[in-house]
Amino acid sequence: MAEEKRIDETDVRIIECLHENSRMTMKELGGKVHLTGQAVRNRVERLESLGILERYTVNVNCPVFGYRIHALIRARMTRTEQAAFLALCTPSCCRLVHCYAVTGAHNVFFDIYFKEMDAMQAVLDKAGEHCNIEVQIVLQENGR
């Protein structure tokens, strides 16, 4: 019989703690949720097996690496145009954070950091020859 996807308050606290710092040890995590390291490890493994915790990631601080311009780009493009756009996004000019297929007239959404405004303009000019693009520059990040 399949295990139910029920979570309790302790599971929620574990998820919140891992969201804040996914690199903490099981002992540290256990201390935060009042469980032993082994007990919290068992819960984390259960949450992973249920698909609630799927992966642990590193958020790269792009400006530290010279990518100073943060752009959100919505585009209307075919798969071929998307592949061509992605080929333009090389580490020498930008860092692609996310690329999503989305609903609506603009069917692709990119979250990209560029090193320079000129680099961004060159990529957008080239891509704009073949598809419709809308760009927003991130002025400030709010939230966690």
Side-chain angles (χ1 to χ4, degrees):
M1 183 159 64
E3 190 176 4
E4 291 186 40
K5 289 192 178 187
R6 291 191 182 163
I7 61 173
D8 61 17
E9 188 60 36
T10 301
D11 292 330
V12 171
R13 289 195 333 257
I14 289 170
I15 293 165
E16 288 171 348
C17 288
L18 288 173
H19 182 75
E20 289 177 20
N21 178 8
S22 63
R23 294 179 51 103
M24 71 174 66
T25 67
M26 291 297 126
K27 183 177 179 180
E28 291 170 325
L29 180 56
K32 291 184 175 288
V33 298
H34 309 293
L35 293 173
T36 66
Q38 185 58 52
V40 82
R41 179 182 311 280
N42 293 342
R43 282 184 176 251
V44 167
E45 288 173 357
R46 181 178 158 275
L47 291 168
E48 289 172 338
S49 72
L50 293 172
I52 294 168
L53 293 177
E54 292 184 334
R55 60 184 176 186
Y56 300 83
T57 63
V58 173
N59 291 324
V60 176
N61 185 340
C62 291
V64 169
F65 292 96
Y67 300 99
R68 301 177 313 175
I69 312 298
H70 189 182
L72 304 175
I73 300 171
R74 295 185 319 160
R76 178 189 199 142
M77 56 178 55
T78 65
R79 286 182 186 243
T80 303
E81 290 167 336
Q82 182 178 340
F85 181 85
L86 292 173
L88 296 171
C89 296
T90 63
S92 63
C93 74
C94 61
R95 181 177 186 286
L96 178 67
V97 178
H98 293 288
C99 174
Y100 299 105
V102 297
T103 59
H106 290 85
N107 61 324
V108 184
F109 183 90
F110 300 98
D111 184 355
I112 305 178
Y113 281 85
F114 291 91
K115 287 194 171 186
E116 303 288 336
M117 194 64 82
D118 290 343
M120 181 182 74
Q121 194 61 54
V123 169
L124 296 177
D125 286 348
K126 185 75 172 163
E129 294 173 4
H130 307 286
C131 57
N132 184 299
I133 295 175
E134 289 183 5
V135 180
Q136 287 83 39
I137 303 297
V138 176
L139 300 176
Q140 177 180 340
E141 183 177 335
N142 298 322
R144 291 184 183 203

